[in-house]
Amino acid sequence: MGKGGSLSEGVIKNIIISYTYVAIWIFLSFTVIVYNKYILDKKMYGWPFPITLTMIHMSFCSTLAFLLIKVFKFVEPVSMSRDTYLRSVVPVGALYSLSLWLSNSAYIYLSVSFIQMLKALMPAAVYSIGVLFKKEGFKSETMINMLSISFGVAIAAYGEARFDVWGVILQLGAVAFEATRLVMIQILLTSKGITLNPITSLYYVAPCCLAFLFIPWIVVEFPILRDTSSFYFDYLIFGTNSFCAFALNLAVFLLVGKTSALTMNVAGVVKDWLLIAFSWSVIKDTVTPINLFGYGIAFLGVAYYNHAKLQALKAKDAQKTTQQVDEESGRLLEEREGNEGGRKNEPQD
């Protein structure tokens, strides 16, 4: 703090930089979601091929990640054996491919606003799967919180004007696979000391996703694309869409690196409300009062969950700091006692 309690120039600069990264991430995340909806929705661009779109994204991201790591040396690659890749990265890539496939497919059937409401179930899904795989301890208070989130989403679904069962199944499947992927990252990668940022993640995971997506693509979408004589590859649409998807991953890397994962969670809540407002005002999706009431309950549950996580992290850091201080004090005391003992043993004149 400077004179009169004002913030220093360095602090103000850091705050501006942090908010700039947050704004960039919100803008890119917002853009990718709306852009994907525009491409896949039959009433808009009218190109309902989610597997193909996801494969285009993965091809583009794989190529750019390779250039950034191997050619421009922007990010250092992670040392990884073939066995580690097969045992740890491949399962994560399989789950990621399923999550992307199902989430993109949901845009064909559901509104952007309702999809964001369903995504509020992510903390509940991650916690439940974490408990199942013994990565999280079961706590009644946390489970009640998760049930309140689920209850809010159920109310929002009840009030949805364009409710589509198949679309909801796709989106819930995407949430389940994404939650499992996040838990598997902890089990298969983090626990083994392997840390991947969004760029190295794309470098290792995107080619794997591409390979997994090729199987359903051959069966589901390739025959339709092959028989559609009017199909042509729109380089402007798919190129800019893929670039936005890659830029979003880069923004995640910068945002978490310059701020924190919790900041990203809070920014995600702001983004969700903006998307709901955009979906209602611009795309003209119907958002009912029951929708908003249910999502409001879910939102409060998610906010409380993030607050509880922050308090737990603060308590853990405080405990770690206290332990370090105690260890340092003990070491200094031992040194002092050793020095005093040495003086006592010195011969007297």
Side-chain angles (χ1 to χ4, degrees), residues 318-334:
Q319 185 180 6
K320 188 176 180 181
T321 303
T322 303
Q323 187 178 358
Q324 288 175 344
V325 170
D326 290 343
E327 288 175 356
E328 182 68 17
S329 300
R331 186 179 63 80
L332 290 172
L333 185 62
E334 287 176 2

Side-chain angles (χ1 to χ4, degrees), residues 168-202:
V168 171
I169 290 171
L170 289 171
Q171 185 55 50
L172 292 180
V175 168
F177 283 121
E178 179 63 11
T180 307
R181 181 184 76 91
L182 294 173
V183 174
M184 286 298 108
I185 286 174
Q186 289 183 304
I187 295 172
L188 300 177
L189 295 173
T190 308
S191 63
K192 297 179 181 178
I194 302 171
T195 304
L196 300 177
N197 63 52
I199 307 302
T200 50
S201 289
L202 288 175

Side-chain angles (χ1 to χ4, degrees), residues 17 62-63 75 80 86 98 101 108 132 169 181 195 227 254 270 276 285 323 326:
I17 291 172
S62 297
T63 303
V75 179
M80 189 183 301
L86 292 174
L98 288 167
W101 171 18
I108 300 172
L132 185 65
I169 290 171
R181 181 184 76 91
T195 304
D227 298 335
L254 294 173
V270 175
I276 291 170
D285 286 333
Q323 187 178 358
D326 290 343

Side-chain angles (χ1 to χ4, degrees), residues 10-285:
V11 172
I12 293 173
K13 184 179 179 182
N14 286 335
I15 291 172
I16 292 172
I17 291 172
S18 296
Y19 275 102
T20 301
Y21 283 126
V22 168
I24 291 171
W25 179 80
I26 288 176
F27 172 76
L28 287 171
S29 181
F30 186 99
T31 302
V32 168
I33 290 170
V34 174
Y35 210 159
N36 286 351
K37 172 67 174 178
Y38 168 74
I39 291 173
L40 294 166
D41 197 307
K42 295 175 182 178
K43 296 178 182 178
M44 297 182 187
Y45 187 76
W47 200 75
F49 300 104
I51 305 176
T52 310
L53 182 65
T54 308
M55 289 178 72
I56 292 170
H57 287 173
M58 291 298 102
S59 301
F60 188 89
C61 290
S62 297
T63 303
L64 275 188
F66 176 83
L67 291 173
L68 285 175
I69 291 175
K70 292 296 186 180
V71 178
F72 299 109
K73 311 293 183 182
F74 181 74
V75 179
E76 287 293 323
V78 176
S79 179
M80 189 183 301
S81 66
R82 182 181 177 184
D83 183 63
T84 301
Y85 182 82
L86 292 174
R87 289 176 178 271
S88 301
V89 176
V90 169
V92 171
L95 291 166
Y96 194 37
S97 64
L98 288 167
S99 171
L100 290 173
W101 171 18
L102 296 183
S103 63
N104 281 334
S105 299
Y107 286 113
I108 300 172
Y109 305 96
L110 302 176
S111 66
V112 170
S113 58
F114 187 43
I115 285 174
Q116 300 313 121
M117 294 175 189
L118 290 174
K119 284 181 179 179
L121 286 169
M122 185 61 73
V126 172
Y127 177 73
S128 300
I129 293 170
V131 170
L132 185 65
F133 284 96
K134 302 188 186 307
K135 293 302 292 182
E136 293 275 359
F138 179 84
K139 296 179 181 178
S140 299
E141 182 183 355
T142 305
M143 184 53 71
I144 291 170
N145 186 21
M146 296 301 109
L147 289 174
S148 72
I149 295 172
S150 304
F151 179 66
V153 172
I155 293 174
Y158 176 77
E160 174 60 21
R162 285 183 54 202
F163 187 88
D164 185 281
V165 175
W166 181 237
V168 171
I169 290 171
L170 289 171
Q171 185 55 50
L172 292 180
V175 168
F177 283 121
E178 179 63 11
T180 307
R181 181 184 76 91
L182 294 173
V183 174
M184 286 298 108
I185 286 174
Q186 289 183 304
I187 295 172
L188 300 177
L189 295 173
T190 308
S191 63
K192 297 179 181 178
I194 302 171
T195 304
L196 300 177
N197 63 52
I199 307 302
T200 50
S201 289
L202 288 175
Y203 177 74
Y204 290 107
V205 175
C208 182
C209 282
L210 195 60
F212 277 109
L213 288 168
F214 184 78
I215 300 169
W217 179 74
I218 283 290
V219 177
V220 179
E221 293 185 2
F222 175 70
I224 302 172
L225 289 168
R226 181 189 57 200
D227 298 335
T228 305
S229 56
S230 60
F231 169 74
Y232 73 98
F233 190 85
D234 192 328
Y235 286 95
L236 178 62
I237 290 291
F238 296 115
T240 52
N241 179 247
S242 297
F243 181 78
C244 287
F246 181 82
L248 176 60
N249 282 278
L250 186 59
V252 170
F253 173 49
L254 294 173
L255 178 62
V256 175
K258 297 295 181 181
T259 57
S260 67
L262 187 66
T263 301
M264 186 174 155
N265 284 340
V266 174
V269 172
V270 175
K271 177 209 68 180
D272 290 343
W273 280 109
L274 288 173
L275 276 166
I276 291 170
F278 180 86
S279 177
W280 171 73
S281 61
V282 179
I283 304 178
K284 303 300 180 184
D285 286 333

